[in-house]
């Protein structure tokens, strides 16, 4: 599996993806699940993927090929809504191409499409395996794909549209840590993007691996903090 | 859906179940998912269920009928292992009875079987829809069924075999709270059992509803504590 989270706050976007791919516990590999397409100064588009690796790699590659050969592509359509539509259409094409000889394989994938096009705000979409999609709004400023449940409570408790960018990054890393601890199919290293609104170019992908001292400190501080909080909270409810 | 958690520590057992049953978001009802069968002084058996309500109700009723009519039943077999085996066998019977005209319905259920029989330790089993089962051990002293992922990280961080009973109860209620917040299909009231090892009789089911002041205080204290912890932790990782 995979765990990706994308948060859209007033100040910009925070995107976090793990990099584990597995087909059974004995076939584990590390693959990027975070991609950038951009024309600096005009637009920057981020793609995060979860699901069948063959499908997601095909979708990304076909979107890149479209830039060279198609009339409409992600780097020339007028809005991020159109980008989400193109991604959805491409997902449908790949899944229908591959699922002829199904044999019980799950070809589906989910993608998060985010970024900013000049003249518009940063936007964030979740594109489903069926190719349809939804957009994040101020009330629900984040989307998750993959193994999303373990890391959802901390985001639900902390994130709103006014959370500062650095705090949103820290929250998404704690969410990732909770998931890493509880589910073997999500694994380091992590790929992270912290995009400041109106930058209109990618800040580059920040890679956090097992030896990253700051991440280890964060894990330890959170883990100790939770234990301390738990130990110090009064025993409100006693067994009867 | 449902969320049930059962924790076996040195001092005894803590069992927590929600009570929401839904078939789509507009067909919601409250049903017990925690049952007790006992011969005080000889044995006490606790059953928690998640899955198809028709299946789980049939299983419970058939186990009760067996006590009156069958030669071997949960109140006379020599060990809790045998109880788990009987539960598994009954689950298989019910599912095979009902799944003739399947029509795409999921008839499956998972059950947690716990308790104590005189002369033995408290024990805890997870019985799968296929009727096979696993037993909790000191390294993994808890099982969850239903919507288990949201509430797993806090249990993974806190619980071990030496956690005191009251602390295990508090942890399972926080785990339940995280699940309630993040998933609509899990709902109050909660049914709780705190069983002290060697009591050999049920302490009775403690019901915690939306108006329970101690539970509201626990929710508030945990929620504020997490926010405070988050706000006070250094910003270890800055966006690049």
């Amino acid at each position: 599996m995979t765990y990706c989270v994308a948060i859209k706050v007033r100040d910009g976007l925070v995107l976090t993806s793990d990099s584990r791919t597995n087909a059974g516990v004995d076939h584990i590999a590390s693959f990027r699940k975070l991609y950038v397409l951009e024309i600096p100064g005009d637009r920057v588009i981020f793609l995060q993927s979860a699901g069948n690796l063959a499908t997601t790699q095909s979708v990304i590659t076909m979107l890149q090929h479209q830039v060279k050969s198609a009339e409409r592509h992600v780097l020339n359509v007028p809005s991020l809504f159109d980008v989400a539509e193109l991604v959805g259409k491409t997902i449908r094409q790949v899944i229908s191409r591959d699922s002829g000889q199904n044999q019980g394989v799950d070809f589906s994938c989910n993608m998060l499409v985010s970024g900013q096009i000049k003249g518009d705000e940063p936007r964030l979409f979740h594109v489903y395996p069926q190719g349809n999609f939804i957009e994040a709004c101020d009330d629900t400023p984040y989307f998750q794909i993959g193994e999303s449940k373990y890391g959802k409570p901390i985001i639900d408790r902390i994130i709103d549209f006014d959370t500062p960018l650095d705090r949103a990054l820290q929250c998404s890393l704690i969410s990732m840590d909770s998931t890493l601890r509880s589910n073997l199919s999500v694994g380091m290293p992590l790929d992270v993007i912290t995009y400041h609104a109106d930058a209109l170019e990618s800040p580059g992908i920040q890679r956090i691996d097992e030896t990253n001292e700051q991440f280890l400190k964060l894990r330890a501080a959170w883990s100790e903090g939770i234990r301390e909080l738990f130990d110090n909270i009064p025993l409100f409810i006693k067994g009867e």
Side-chain angles (χ1 to χ4, degrees), chain A residues 25 30 53 61 67 72 75 92 102 104 168 173 199-200 213 237:
Chain A
V25 287
S30 183
L53 184 65
T61 307
V67 169
R72 286 183 89 243
L75 292 186
R92 273 195 294 264
N102 188 316
L173 292 173
L200 290 174
E213 275 185 35
I237 298 189

Side-chain angles (χ1 to χ4, degrees), chain A residues 163-236:
Chain A
T163 307
L165 215 47
D166 272 350
R167 291 269 152 204
L169 170 59
Q170 185 119 313
C171 182
S172 73
L173 292 173
I174 291 170
S175 168
M176 194 58 85
D177 177 42
S178 296
T179 309
L180 291 164
R181 276 170 194 271
S182 291
N183 192 301
L184 260 189
S185 75
V186 176
M188 305 275 283
L190 310 177
D191 286 330
V192 174
I193 281 179
T194 310
Y195 173 78
H196 291 263
D198 301 330
L200 290 174
E201 62 177 340
S202 169
I205 295 176
Q206 185 175 359
R207 180 150 273 213
I208 297 174
D209 64 18
E210 288 90 342
T211 64
N212 184 301
E213 275 185 35
Q214 295 306 308
F215 186 67
L216 294 176
K217 278 186 194 164
L218 172 62
R219 294 187 97 163
W222 186 254
S223 189
E224 278 162 37
I226 288 277
R227 281 204 152 268
E228 215 171 286
L229 171 63
F230 185 82
D231 290 343
N232 289 324
I233 247 177
L235 273 175
F236 288 109

Side-chain angles (χ1 to χ4, degrees), chain A residues 2-52:
Chain A
T2 293
Y3 176 41
C4 298
V5 55
I7 301 173
K8 188 190 81 169
V9 290
R10 192 177 302 282
D11 298 343
L13 298 161
V14 171
L15 317 174
T16 318
S17 297
D18 86 314
S19 59
R20 182 157 293 174
T21 297
N22 73 307
V25 287
D26 58 348
H27 191 167
I28 288 179
S30 183
F31 282 96
R32 257 178 71 192
K33 299 166 192 172
L34 177 51
Y35 302 86
V36 183
L37 289 152
E38 64 178 333
I39 302 174
D42 175 66
R43 70 184 61 200
V44 56
I45 295 160
F46 306 111
L47 297 164
Q48 291 165 280
S49 59
N52 186 299

